[in-house]
Amino acid sequence: METVLPVANATAAALARVSAMFNAPLARAVVFGVHIDGHLVVEGLLIAAILFQLSRKSYKPPKKPLTEREIDELCDEWQPEPLCPPIKEGARIEAPTLESAAGPHTTVDGKEVVNFASSNYLGLIGNEKIIDSCVGSVEKYGVGSCGPRGFYGTIDVHLDCENKIANFLGTQDSILYSYGISTIFSVIPAFCKKGDIIVADEGVHWAVQNGLQLSRSTVVYFKHNDMVSLANILEKLTHGNKRTEKIRRYIVVEAIYQNSGQIAPLDEIVRLKEKYRFRVILEESHSFGVLGKSGRGLAEHYGVPIEKIDIVTAGMGNALATDGGFCTGSARVVDHQRLSSSGYVFSASLPPYLASAAISAVNHLEENPSVLANLRSNIALLHKELSDITGLEIASNILSPIVFLKLKTPTGSAVADLELLEIIAEKVLKEDSVFIAATKRSSLDKCRLPVGIRLFVSAGHTESDIFKVSESLKRVAASVL
Amino acid sequence: MVRLPYVTALTTLFSYGLLFAFGQLRDFFRRILDAGKSSNLKGYAPICLGLEDFYTRRLYLRIQDCFGRPIASAPDAWFDVVERYSNDSNKTLHCTEKTSKCLNLGSYNYLGFAAADEYCTPQVIESLKKYSASTCSVRVDGGNTKLHVELEELVARFVGKPAAILFGMGYVTNSAIIPALVGKGGLIISDSLNHNSIVNGARGSGATVRVFQHNNPAHLEEVLREQIAGGQPRTHRPWKKIIVIVEGIYSMEGELCKLPEIIAVCKKYKAYTYLDEAHSIGAVGKSGRGVCELLGVDPADVDIMMGTFTKSFGSCGGYIAASKEIIDHLKHICPAHIYATSMSPPAVQQVISAIKVILGEDGSNRGAKKLAQIRENSNFFRSELQKMGFEVLGDNDSPVMPIMLYNPAKIPAFSRECLRRNVAVVTVAFPATPLLLARARICISASHSREDLIKGLEVISKVGDLVGIKYFPAEHEKATSVEKKLKKLHSIALFTNTIIQLLLLAAGVKEES
């Protein structure tokens, strides 16, 4: 108690002195009429310290670009891969050589064979009238057209051919392309740009896949020919999405799938398209001139008015026995392609004799609708004959002119399957003089459907041809599989 | 390179600005007029949104009659152009029955095989009767005929490579081969002015694409060094392979590629070279073997040589020539070979016959004559045009010569005036060329005779004066104008002298009297 009091007194006195000092008139300096209190000095020092730290750069390790010598060393060390990988032993590269026209009977490597490897559905190869019109064209116009469509490559036969096809199908206009597969992979990027939505079947062939990739749109695949899967995907894409009014949306299907022989159910697709407001791009390479009462394609077959299909493309290298392709639809659709489709603008036009061949072929189809009946009876007969073949089963639709035979028990690897099928095809050719083809796949192809043997039935085949091929296949398949 | 005078650049920009402004004005009024009408799209998004097709609607459609002119005969030196008329200011064009015979300066007919030829056509007709117009089958299934095998061997021999492979269309050749050669992890370095098919092929392959300045080997070396040192983007792994793509003759410039320098650079940095000879095969070189022969490059130094049959051989289709391993690999994997209909047999026969004529194997020297003719024609035409004062691009010996127009109004003026005088020319504008550099492109053929060329030159000179595209009047014209000025001064001096004399005489008379 006695020591505390003087300490307390001393502390109080010290505090009083300090506060007096702070309250002393000396501390209350007046600078430019502003009273400077002591705490302002402390705050000023703090602010100065903060500013000093902010003004210093953060530490980054210095970046030195590579010197010329280092770049030289890197360039010397770098070793590229060889331009092409070595070919595996025993890979089949050379195809059999034809020595005459690829009609229902042809000559391969010196002997007469029955030909089921050409998609000559209406039997027009070797037709006299068509060849005469081609000869006339060659004599008048020469072989090539020597220019793109925009620069004097438009010949009057091209315009006639476009009109003929548009009239035949009942559409407003059509546009010719100079090569079958370039049609679809030029049409798709012309209409679909980055940001659009495309719903495509997973079994579409390579040209369609290439078009989808070039278009840079968002692509969603649905299960092969499965309408339930398509409906689900359409629902998911449009559900609650308010911006779908501005985005272009497309469904891409093939009428007859090259990779499986299935036929797309067009009436169901049109119903879905109208419900969800998608446009349809229909690839009709193998169904134009085949399906429908008069050969006008899938729309006629299902009784759907052609105006409901927005864009129809087809290659003419199948039923029409010529080369090139066309695209048809409304006038707006066709006009748009004349300036923005790269395969049309930047490429030479179709040789004129092929365009006159197309015109004659369509004329022939209009005048002789009985060829379709021949074709259908041939397909039905082949289906009947092949229904009990060992080891293979028919995977295609009864109406499809591509009869697709796949293995009943696949080995698990597409390459091994293909080996087996190629052995069958070779044996059939060597022993029975029947020329068939197994589906070959490029490694750039993304399709995962099973490989098989494709038989292209033609209206020019006779019944004995059909019996011959089915017997030969049954025999060889039984021996190999 | 193009020397663009400042005044011309400014006036061209002003013209485009004016066209753009008018286009926007018309769009504005169209929107007001259509606001009342209900759209017939019913919930579908329109095919072209907003300004996507502004260029088509407002600029291209006004001069649509200069493009896509139909013809009614073979595209030979003289052909029949169908006359067209329009009832709604060029929005739609209708053909008439009338045709007018015009001089053809626009088709790619370098060696004159476009029309019926005395050697080729009978063979083509024979092959038509034997093999028919199409094989209806892909090459690997049932589309391989004896003609195809023969042509592949012939092309390989002609070009100077061990093996070749055929395709039915030139465009597809590029777009389907490049993805088969290089994929993800590879690098493609292509010239900035390469053709659309190469651009599409490069994009479709998945590899990284870099561009080097047009025909500039120094810049190519810079890009190569930078890319090899940097590696793949983001991961910096080394590149799997590098392919450099160039063209033999660039179709919009008429220039030859600087091939020896580019090959030297590529060899130094171990990059592969891909040469697209669409316009040069058959048209340049002493025996028609293309840019390699003309510039003295050994074909073995170029890894892959590509070409088309449309231009010099009067047919259709394309080919790739390379070493046997590469061709075998392509036959195995290339989708255009496995999935596309094989080339039409008569077209194959046309190429076989054309190559035989060029090589002289048909027993005559027509091939050598044609090659000499086209070289002479191109050099004559180009030098005459330059003498007249036009700005002509392209190197000597190249049969493609663009004449610069620049101003958008001169494009239809030049085209229509030439057609009125029965000369058919091709005019090219955006988007095939840069916006300010519109041009007219002349393609010379071996089937043009000297009189045809002189007539063509007369017409082009007259139209050039009318339209005002002689941007660089030649030296001797300047000299004559100086002479004219001197003559004028002389006559003025004489006149003044006479007046002074008369005045003096009058004064003298006055003085005398």
Side-chain angles (χ1 to χ4, degrees):
Chain A
M1 198 54 184
E2 301 223 333
T3 44
V4 173
L5 211 55
V7 169
N9 284 338
T11 335
L15 277 173
R17 249 205 308 277
V18 167
S19 52
M21 214 162 63
F22 270 112
N23 293 333
L26 200 61
R28 219 174 270 151
V30 178
V31 179
F32 298 124
V34 174
H35 290 267
I36 302 284
D37 289 326
H39 65 97
L40 283 177
V41 177
V42 176
E43 281 154 17
L45 281 173
L46 277 173
I47 291 177
I50 291 172
L51 285 175
F52 177 64
Q53 290 290 8
L54 279 177
S55 66
R56 288 171 60 110
K57 280 200 236 184
S58 56
Y59 176 73
K60 279 198 194 109
K63 249 199 198 159
K64 281 199 311 243
L66 297 170
T67 62
E68 289 300 313
R69 218 165 62 90
E70 282 169 344
I71 297 183
D72 282 336
E73 277 174 16
L74 282 168
C75 294
D76 285 333
E77 278 172 14
W78 177 69
Q79 283 300 334
E81 283 180 3
L83 193 50
C84 66
I87 299 286
K88 289 195 296 284
E89 282 302 313
R92 289 169 185 80
I93 297 168
E94 294 303 329
T97 318
L98 265 70
E99 286 158 20
S100 71
H105 294 262
T106 181
T107 325
V108 171
D109 291 333
K111 52 182 189 155
E112 272 272 328
V113 298
V114 176
N115 184 7
F116 274 86
S118 300
S119 56
N120 170 23
Y121 302 136
L122 301 177
L124 290 175
I125 290 187
N127 183 298
E128 287 295 324
K129 264 210 218 143
I130 296 184
I131 292 186
D132 282 338
S133 75
C134 288
V135 170
S137 265
V138 168
E139 281 169 352
K140 184 171 181 202
Y141 300 109
V143 173
S145 60
C146 298
R149 284 293 287 262
F151 302 149
Y152 303 108
T154 309
I155 305 187
D156 44 7
V157 281
H158 293 141
L159 301 173
D160 291 338
C161 187
E162 289 177 356
N163 282 340
K164 180 103 205 147
I165 293 177
N167 287 341
F168 181 66
L169 283 177
T171 52
Q172 286 175 345
D173 202 357
S174 71
I175 175 174
L176 273 185
Y177 284 86
S178 43
Y179 204 42
I181 58 168
S182 79
T183 315
I184 188 66
F185 76 59
S186 302
V187 165
I188 296 184
F191 289 102
C192 314
K193 307 277 195 277
K194 199 166 167 131
D196 295 337
I197 299 180
I198 307 184
V199 180
D201 189 302
E202 65 180 4
V204 287
H205 65 278
W206 173 82
V208 182
Q209 291 168 21
N210 195 24
L212 294 174
Q213 192 189 0
L214 283 173
S215 70
R216 314 229 213 166
S217 318
T218 325
V219 183
V220 183
Y221 290 99
F222 66 90
K223 286 218 208 48
H224 181 54
N225 225 12
D226 185 352
M227 291 299 111
V228 173
S229 162
L230 175 61
N232 286 342
I233 289 186
L234 291 178
E235 178 65 43
K236 229 184 348 182
L237 285 171
T238 51
H239 180 67
N241 198 348
K242 286 205 195 57
R243 282 184 56 239
T244 49
E245 285 286 306
K246 286 282 168 56
I247 305 176
R248 295 172 283 234
R249 292 151 282 158
Y250 296 92
I251 301 178
V252 176
V253 284
E254 287 180 46
I256 296 184
Y257 290 93
Q258 252 183 323
N259 287 331
S260 70
Q262 297 286 329
I263 296 187
L266 191 63
D267 47 357
E268 183 65 23
I269 293 178
V270 168
R271 193 186 64 79
L272 285 172
K273 145 197 143 111
E274 288 184 332
K275 180 169 167 200
Y276 293 101
R277 300 271 184 264
F278 274 60
R279 286 197 170 94
V280 169
I281 300 182
L282 183 63
E283 224 284 292
E284 286 221 63
S285 292
H286 292 270
S287 64
F288 180 74
V290 171
L291 291 182
K293 207 158 52 106
S294 57
R296 284 175 166 80
L298 194 64
E300 192 188 19
H301 176 75
Y302 275 101
V304 171
I306 192 79
E307 294 82 36
K308 296 213 171 160
I309 320 275
D310 304 280
I311 304 171
V312 175
T313 69
M316 301 197 286
N318 302 308
L320 293 183
T322 172
D323 211 348
F326 66 85
C327 175
T328 181
S330 67
R332 175 87 183 91
V333 157
V334 169
D335 273 339
H336 177 80
Q337 285 173 59
R338 292 203 197 268
L339 269 191
S340 43
S341 170
S342 33
Y344 180 80
V345 171
F346 293 108
S347 162
S349 54
L350 185 66
Y353 74 94
L354 291 174
S356 13
I359 298 178
S360 318
V362 174
N363 280 340
H364 180 93
L365 181 56
E366 277 181 328
E367 287 158 18
N368 313 340
S370 55
V371 288
L372 294 168
N374 282 352
L375 179 61
R376 269 178 225 139
S377 65
N378 282 350
I379 302 175
L381 186 58
L382 190 59
H383 269 253
K384 196 166 75 111
E385 291 295 315
L386 287 177
S387 51
D388 55 348
I389 189 170
T390 50
L392 296 169
E393 58 179 3
I394 300 185
S396 59
N397 192 299
I398 183 90
L399 290 167
S400 143
I402 306 179
V403 175
F404 197 89
L405 294 163
K406 66 175 188 201
L407 291 166
K408 270 204 188 116
T409 49
T411 58
S413 121
V415 177
D417 284 349
L418 196 53
E419 289 274 333
L420 272 176
L421 295 167
E422 298 251 3
I423 294 177
I424 297 180
E426 268 181 46
K427 281 191 123 182
V428 163
L429 178 60
K430 225 174 5 183
E431 295 168 17
D432 292 319
S433 297
V434 172
F435 188 30
I436 61 174
T439 60
K440 294 166 186 61
R441 285 277 164 79
S442 159
S443 54
L444 296 176
D445 191 345
K446 289 199 275 261
C447 175
R448 294 283 162 261
L449 294 183
V451 293
I453 291 183
R454 268 196 295 227
L455 298 173
F456 296 101
V457 182
S458 160
H461 283 133
T462 57
E463 285 199 359
S464 62
D465 295 332
I466 309 265
F467 286 131
K468 187 163 180 201
V469 74
S470 51
E471 273 165 28
S472 160
L473 265 176
K474 280 196 262 210
R475 197 179 57 82
V476 173
S479 74
V480 170
L481 293 169
Chain B
M1 288 307 296
V2 179
R3 315 167 276 173
L4 180 56
Y6 274 124
V7 176
T8 319
L10 283 175
T11 47
T12 315
L13 270 174
F14 175 70
S15 309
Y16 274 111
L18 200 63
L19 285 168
F20 182 76
F22 267 107
Q24 289 283 39
L25 202 65
R26 289 172 93 128
D27 272 352
F28 175 68
F29 279 113
R30 172 61 45 192
R31 254 202 300 272
I32 293 184
L33 287 172
D34 279 348
K37 278 195 276 191
S38 71
S39 145
N40 61 345
L41 287 171
K42 294 189 287 253
Y44 293 90
I47 288 187
C48 284
L49 293 165
L51 288 180
E52 273 178 8
D53 61 343
F54 178 80
Y55 179 80
T56 313
R57 271 181 300 124
R58 297 300 173 205
L59 273 72
Y60 175 80
L61 279 184
R62 295 166 80 119
I63 56 172
Q64 208 194 134
D65 64 312
C66 301
F67 304 101
R69 291 190 180 134
I71 64 178
S73 71
D76 201 11
W78 287 83
F79 62 178
D80 298 324
V81 176
V82 173
E83 290 172 13
R84 299 188 289 180
Y85 67 93
S86 171
N87 291 331
D88 50 0
S89 46
N90 272 355
K91 263 215 216 102
T92 51
L93 291 161
H94 305 275
C95 295
T96 60
E97 295 297 322
K98 285 179 31 213
T99 61
S100 51
K101 202 166 177 62
C102 299
L103 177 65
N104 181 2
L105 290 177
S107 296
Y108 301 136
N109 177 22
Y110 299 137
L111 291 180
F113 283 113
D117 185 82
E118 59 191 9
Y119 179 74
C120 303
T121 312
Q123 296 196 336
V124 168
I125 294 184
E126 203 186 296
S127 75
L128 247 180
K129 296 197 172 120
K130 183 171 179 201
Y131 289 100
S132 166
S134 163
T135 56
C136 283
S137 171
V138 302
R139 191 70 197 283
V140 288
D141 283 346
N144 188 27
T145 66
K146 258 185 15 182
L147 287 178
H148 291 90
V149 175
E150 186 185 342
L151 181 58
E152 284 184 347
E153 289 166 9
L154 193 56
V155 163
R157 189 156 59 92
F158 182 66
V159 167
K161 285 292 225 180
I165 179 175
L166 293 179
F167 296 94
M169 181 183 171
Y171 187 94
V172 163
T173 312
N174 271 332
S175 354
I177 285 293
I178 300 179
L181 289 173
V182 64
K184 217 156 129 52
L187 174 67
I188 297 178
I189 306 185
S190 86
D191 191 294
S192 60
L193 295 177
N194 267 342
H195 189 252
N196 186 275
S197 56
I198 299 177
V199 170
N200 261 351
R203 230 187 262 167
S205 67
T208 319
V209 182
R210 292 279 174 264
V211 161
F212 71 96
Q213 271 170 24
H214 174 60
N215 235 358
N216 190 345
H219 191 242
L220 171 64
E221 180 159 8
E222 241 181 77
V223 171
L224 269 171
R225 285 170 70 83
E226 190 192 315
Q227 290 300 322
I228 297 180
Q232 296 187 24
R234 290 170 50 105
T235 55
H236 296 291
R237 290 198 195 108
W239 295 106
K240 291 206 181 128
K241 47 184 121 146
I242 301 187
I243 297 191
V244 175
I245 307 184
V246 288
E247 288 188 32
I249 291 186
Y250 290 93
S251 57
M252 286 299 157
E253 275 70 36
E255 277 175 2
L256 294 164
C257 165
K258 291 199 177 112
L259 199 57
E261 294 91 341
I262 292 185
I263 302 274
V265 167
C266 290
K267 276 200 156 142
K268 185 167 158 206
Y269 291 95
K270 292 174 264 181
Y272 299 113
T273 35
Y274 182 107
L275 178 63
D276 177 339
E277 289 212 81
H279 284 266
S280 53
I281 189 75
V284 294
K286 206 156 63 81
S287 60
R289 284 179 160 84
V291 140
C292 287
E293 190 181 19
L294 186 69
L295 297 177
V297 171
D298 184 8
D301 285 339
V302 181
D303 295 295
I304 300 172
M305 295 172 69
M306 176 261 174
T308 60
F309 301 125
T310 333
K311 280 97 186 175
S312 309
F313 303 103
S315 174
C316 65
Y319 70 87
I320 296 261
S323 70
K324 200 139 185 351
E325 294 84 33
I326 300 182
I327 297 293
D328 282 345
H329 169 73
L330 287 175
K331 281 190 175 168
H332 211 58
I333 186 183
C334 178
H337 190 244
I338 301 182
Y339 296 124
T341 323
S342 67
M343 200 164 145
S344 166
V348 178
Q349 179 63 51
Q350 163 78 14
V351 184
I352 295 178
S353 316
I355 294 187
K356 290 216 170 109
V357 170
I358 295 177
L359 286 176
E361 285 174 14
D362 64 326
S364 73
N365 66 343
R366 276 174 55 216
K369 273 204 282 201
K370 280 182 197 269
L371 287 164
Q373 182 81 18
I374 186 177
R375 196 166 42 245
E376 215 183 285
N377 283 355
S378 328
N379 290 338
F380 170 69
F381 207 81
R382 182 175 266 116
S383 60
E384 288 297 315
L385 281 177
Q386 276 169 339
K387 271 194 236 155
M388 284 183 204
F390 289 102
E391 181 168 359
V392 182
L393 306 180
D395 298 334
N396 261 339
D397 281 349
S398 137
V400 177
M401 36 200 102
I403 304 177
M404 297 309 294
L405 296 173
Y406 299 121
N407 201 302
K410 298 188 182 173
I411 305 170
F414 189 77
S415 182
R416 287 172 193 157
E417 286 301 318
C418 281
L419 190 65
R420 213 165 282 166
R421 291 169 176 73
N422 287 349
V423 168
V425 293
V426 160
T427 46
V428 198
F430 185 79
T433 61
L435 186 67
L436 293 181
L437 305 175
R439 60 201 74 178
R441 186 181 65 175
I442 311 271
C443 291
I444 297 294
S445 152
S447 52
H448 285 135
S449 65
R450 193 46 83 96
E451 295 81 38
D452 296 334
L453 293 181
I454 292 180
K455 167 154 193 326
L457 283 167
E458 263 174 41
V459 167
I460 292 182
S461 179
K462 220 180 299 174
V463 175
D465 280 328
L466 256 175
V467 170
I469 50 176
K470 291 190 175 166
Y471 293 110
F472 297 102
E475 281 308 314
H476 81 270
E477 270 201 16
K478 281 206 186 110
T480 38
S481 65
V482 167
E483 272 178 22
K484 281 198 198 126
K485 285 205 182 95
L486 280 175
K487 272 204 193 134
K488 252 198 221 157
L489 281 173
H490 187 70
S491 49
I492 291 174
L494 272 176
F495 184 68
T496 358
N497 198 14
T498 334
I499 302 282
I500 293 174
Q501 291 280 2
L502 283 172
L503 287 172
L504 279 175
L505 202 56
V509 163
K510 274 201 178 146
E511 274 178 13
E512 269 179 29
S513 61

